[in-house]
Amino acid sequence: MSAWLFFHAFWVNGQVPFDCNGQFFIGVNGTGNSTLYAMNANPTGNGLLIFPPNLTVKSTNAIGFRKKDHLIYGYESGKIFTLDKNGLYSEITNVQVTPGVDYFGGDVSADGKYYVMVGGKTVNGVYQDVELVKIDLEDPQFGQTVLPFSGEIVRTFDIAFDPTNGLLYGLDVNKARIFILDSETGAVTTVFPSDPSGQVAGALFFDGFGNLFSYGTFDSPLKNTLYSIDKNTGAMQVIASGPGSGGGDGCSCPYTISLSKSVFPESVYSCSEVAYTFTIHNLTDSTLPGLTLEDHLPSGFQIVDLSQNLFGGQAVSGIGSGLLKIVNMAVPPGVFTVKMTVEVGDIPAGIYKNQASISGIPTLFGGDEKRSDDPQTLGQMDSTSLEVLELGFEGLAIFDTLCQGDTLWADASSYGQKFLWQDGSSSAVYPITQSGNYRVHVIAGCDTANIFYQIQSSFIEILEKAPYSIESGDTVTFFPIILNEGETIQYQWTDPLGNSLSCLDCPNPTARPLEYTNYLLTATNEHSCRDSIYFAVILDKTRRVYAPNAFSPNGDGINDMFYLQGKGTATVNYLKVFSRWGNLVYDGKNMAMNDDTHGWDGTFKEKKVQAGVYAWVAELVFLNGERQVFEGDVILMR
């Protein structure tokens, strides 16, 4: 009765409450006035439905919907105003605002007690929210509280209270993310990850199911995009586009009664059971009596069980029929479920859709009837879909190959619900350890079929090879011996050193390791059978460097040059030759070992030196980067 008197008081004063049907309102600011659109998402998820009337009103800034009187509240030029169903605009109080602060975002708390708005300004070159202003709507003097922002820096053009739990959300347009604001302290308590879908949005609001939405810019200067926001993760998704808002503010009236309907599982075979769940969201703050829940199931569906949570109503049709009808329900405020188990009969495969309804709803909360919404889709108030499957075959042959020593797990789970193998096993997955023929009888609802597995054997084996032994700097070519029960072989070598193999996918690579190395070969045939083995290479790192003890540079082509020789590959960083008095007669640099074209030819400054004994010293650099100095004497003979 008190609620009726409260609404009636506003009618007397000339303001008529909005009918709350879960719609949202977008104000498009013009010159001196605004157009207020009432909209909702199309059930197909394609576009927006605009509901009349579209009101021409004064500027609609920082607006929010109040469930206690079904009026829209907002702020403009230092005043709080109310707006009614017919566009009647009424200023109710002045606000003491902070000089230099702009107020763009506002909403009414979920309990209807406070009108709340946020104010921002530029601080140290960053435009950010700086305060939260609360107006007590239940105080005859409209008491005002100002709370400074704290926590992470954010900037929002709108805020919205979650109708299901009272949390206050904002959309940070600087970093394209939502955040949670403590309306008691002004602290930013939670920030969510940025999302590239989140552009500048002038409107943030909830629907009657507690889902979060925003309206504003997404790749369009019109600021006309509606997108959903996951209030638990911050993820955003574009839904539809509508009229351009010019960045105007928005709100919604989620304080209504809504119905959703889901099914589990979402696909079944005929002659199986599924569970439907009806969720009733009553966010009106009042127990609503005289409601009827009704669901006409598709032909061939039959109710076999029904939950006891009927809100004092009577199931005039239910178990044993294809019609659920519960009358005279009294649904209290909150979120509640009714569960129904249904048997899907022997019907053709296909998609079966149906939609429940709840009726007897007061006009103030949306009219007589509300259709159910499928919560798994973005479209609102759409049918719930169930896919009925069929096997589509009576017999199926599956050919596969079993590799020697392996177990093949034959998985028939995707073909049915019950299974009977030739040995009596009832598991969906069956282990096969040897080649042969296997059969499983599959039952899928009303359908049955046989699946035949024909399994052949295959193997591949790489024979072991003794370690290879080479000297430092040498190469070795691998010739693996492979036994293969197949037509092809794929080779895959692993080079632990990174660059010491000539190829990684050929049968006979050449290796030049600089240290002891195990090369892994994996051979695979066309049946996916594989074997792996290591090829070990042992490296002899002994430094064997030879220098002649005499040479005769007489031009006969025999022993005419003094140079260093040895096993393997090394670079002669320098070779110096000295006379017996210590004079440097030859200084060669950066020469290859074993190169008889580079060395000392028995001259000094292009003149032949005398025969005799000469001392030499050389530094060699080996392939692994190690350096070693060698020295000795050589006799020059004429």
Side-chain angles (χ1 to χ4, degrees), residues 447-458:
D447 292 344
T448 63
N450 289 310
I451 302 176
F452 302 92
Y453 289 86
Q454 299 182 27
I455 309 301
Q456 65 175 347
S457 63
S458 180

Side-chain angles (χ1 to χ4, degrees), residues 272-592:
S272 303
E273 290 187 353
V274 296
Y276 285 97
T277 300
F278 306 93
T279 303
I280 302 174
H281 300 248
N282 181 3
L283 304 182
T284 67
D285 250 8
S286 303
T287 296
L288 300 182
L291 299 184
T292 297
L293 176 63
E294 192 167 350
D295 190 18
H296 293 261
L297 296 172
S299 177
F301 288 48
Q302 186 179 76
I303 303 170
V304 296
D305 193 22
L306 187 62
S307 70
Q308 299 302 309
N309 183 22
L310 305 182
F311 310 102
Q314 298 174 304
V316 297
S317 180
I319 296 175
S321 74
L323 169 64
L324 172 67
K325 188 173 184 179
I326 305 171
V327 299
N328 294 325
M329 297 190 306
V331 180
V335 179
F336 307 95
T337 59
V338 175
K339 294 185 180 295
M340 175 176 70
T341 304
V342 171
E343 181 179 1
V344 179
D346 189 1
I347 59 177
I351 302 295
Y352 290 81
K353 295 184 177 183
N354 75 305
Q355 196 171 22
S357 66
I358 189 167
S359 59
I361 301 170
T363 301
L364 197 62
F365 300 115
D368 180 65
E369 184 182 71
K370 291 281 188 73
R371 307 294 292 177
S372 67
D373 173 68
D374 182 358
Q376 302 302 318
T377 64
L378 286 175
Q380 296 188 339
M381 288 172 290
D382 53 343
S383 298
T384 301
S385 298
L386 175 68
E387 182 181 16
V388 177
L389 308 171
E390 64 179 4
L391 284 177
F393 62 91
E394 295 182 359
L396 178 65
I398 297 177
F399 301 89
D400 210 339
T401 301
L402 175 67
C403 298
Q404 180 175 285
D406 289 349
T407 298
L408 189 153
W409 295 91
D411 187 356
S413 59
S414 62
Y415 297 105
Q417 300 165 306
K418 297 180 180 180
F419 312 90
L420 182 63
W421 294 84
Q422 74 283 345
D423 63 356
S425 172
S426 59
S427 174
V429 182
Y430 186 81
I432 297 175
T433 57
Q434 59 184 9
S435 60
N437 296 322
Y438 299 82
R439 177 185 57 80
V440 58
H441 184 66
V442 177
I443 301 173
C446 302
D447 292 344
T448 63
N450 289 310
I451 302 176
F452 302 92
Y453 289 86
Q454 299 182 27
I455 309 301
Q456 65 175 347
S457 63
S458 180
F459 82 95
I460 191 170
E461 181 182 2
I462 309 172
L463 300 184
E464 292 188 11
K465 178 69 177 178
Y468 295 81
S469 181
I470 62 173
E471 294 188 12
S472 179
D474 282 356
T475 61
V476 60
T477 301
F478 299 127
F479 293 93
I481 300 175
I482 301 176
L483 305 179
N484 178 33
E485 194 174 81
E487 299 295 328
T488 63
I489 300 176
Q490 180 182 357
Y491 298 86
Q492 183 60 54
W493 294 87
T494 301
D495 182 358
L497 303 180
N499 58 357
S500 64
L501 278 179
S502 62
C503 61
L504 298 177
D505 57 358
C506 59
N508 308 115
T510 297
R512 192 180 199 179
L514 301 180
E515 57 188 58
Y516 177 92
T517 306
N518 277 318
Y519 295 95
L520 177 66
L521 170 62
T522 299
T524 308
N525 65 16
E526 69 271 23
H527 303 300
S528 297
C529 298
R530 66 181 58 195
D531 190 25
S532 297
I533 198 170
Y534 283 99
F535 286 75
V537 179
I538 300 172
L539 202 64
D540 182 0
K541 292 186 177 182
T542 304
R543 308 300 189 197
R544 297 183 176 90
V545 178
Y546 307 96
N549 56 8
F551 76 115
S552 56
N554 54 15
D556 62 358
I558 301 174
N559 203 19
D560 284 335
M561 188 76 70
F562 173 70
Y563 62 97
L564 298 183
Q565 306 166 42
K567 189 70 172 175
T569 301
T571 299
V572 181
N573 191 34
Y574 63 80
L575 171 62
K576 300 178 186 293
V577 181
F578 302 89
S579 70
R580 59 181 175 174
W581 296 283
N583 296 323
L584 179 65
V585 297
Y586 176 74
D587 187 5
K589 300 183 186 310
N590 196 26
M591 301 177 292

Side-chain angles (χ1 to χ4, degrees), residues 131-205:
E131 66 183 31
L132 181 76
V133 180
K134 297 174 63 176
I135 308 297
D136 189 344
L137 300 178
E138 296 179 355
D139 179 3
Q141 304 301 317
F142 297 101
Q144 176 178 330
T145 304
V146 178
L147 301 170
F149 263 65
S150 62
E152 193 159 343
I153 294 175
V154 294
R155 180 57 181 135
T156 181
F157 290 153
D158 201 13
I159 55 176
F161 282 95
D162 187 337
T164 64
N165 56 27
L167 289 177
L168 178 58
Y169 285 79
L171 178 58
D172 180 10
V173 296
N174 287 340
K175 295 186 178 180
R177 61 183 179 176
I178 59 170
F179 62 91
I180 297 177
L181 180 64
D182 190 331
S183 61
E184 297 296 322
T185 66
V188 177
T189 61
T190 305
V191 291
F192 292 82
S194 298
D195 190 301
S197 298
Q199 305 294 325
V200 176
L204 188 70
F205 50 88

